[in-house]
Amino acid sequence: MQIRVFDRECEIDDSRIDADAATISERVREYEAGERTTFDLEIEYPDGFTGDVMRAIERVPAGETRTYGEVAAALETAPVAVGQACGRNPIPVVVPCHRIVGADSLTGYAGGLELKRRLLEHEGASIPDEP
């Protein structure tokens, strides 16, 4: 399904969320309005490494970031593998891969760096400078 967040379209795989489209959209609107920092939805994680990374990402509180290296260290893997798994996240925004940043820059985001920056600003997170 397509969701609109901060005037940007974002594709999420709603089949991985145990809620109807109206509920998901409502939670996104509440997030945008600052009424919630988590989505409180039951999620079906992919099997394997991508699911492990998504679970780690979901534990990063709103207003905070972690680097790809920090997540990689916690999972005993390489930062590039974490970045690739973030890119495979089928439910961005809901599982907040925007909170995972490079050591000295924002770096990639499926919804585009402008949306990543906007989401982090909305949450009050420190944003690394662009190279």
Side-chain angles (χ1 to χ4, degrees):
M1 84 182 260
Q2 289 283 339
I3 60 169
R4 191 157 187 83
V5 59
F6 298 116
D7 297 322
R8 300 272 185 221
E9 291 291 324
C10 189
E11 177 73 29
I12 64 168
D13 181 355
D14 58 324
S15 72
R16 295 204 167 268
I17 302 171
D18 189 16
D20 60 26
T23 299
I24 296 166
S25 294
E26 178 183 345
R27 299 277 166 80
V28 171
R29 284 191 303 277
E30 292 168 349
Y31 169 80
E32 279 185 304
E35 298 168 2
R36 70 171 47 249
T37 57
T38 61
F39 290 87
D40 300 320
L41 297 166
E42 182 134 350
I43 295 168
E44 178 188 331
Y45 296 94
D47 291 332
F49 184 69
T50 298
D52 294 343
V53 170
M54 288 174 66
R55 285 180 186 88
I57 290 168
E58 195 167 49
R59 291 189 294 270
V60 178
E64 296 183 21
T65 60
R66 300 290 183 274
T67 66
Y68 294 98
E70 289 170 327
V71 176
L75 295 175
E76 299 180 351
T77 192
V80 69
V82 170
Q84 291 168 343
C86 286
R88 291 188 300 270
N89 175 3
I91 46 177
V93 181
V94 176
V95 174
C97 53
H98 60 274
R99 295 178 189 155
I100 310 305
V101 298
D104 59 3
S105 67
L106 282 182
T107 68
Y109 185 64
L113 288 181
E114 194 172 314
L115 178 56
K116 185 172 188 170
R117 177 178 299 283
R118 179 66 184 103
L119 291 166
L120 291 172
E121 287 172 347
H122 173 68
E123 294 178 0
S126 288
I127 301 171
D129 293 329
E130 289 300 306

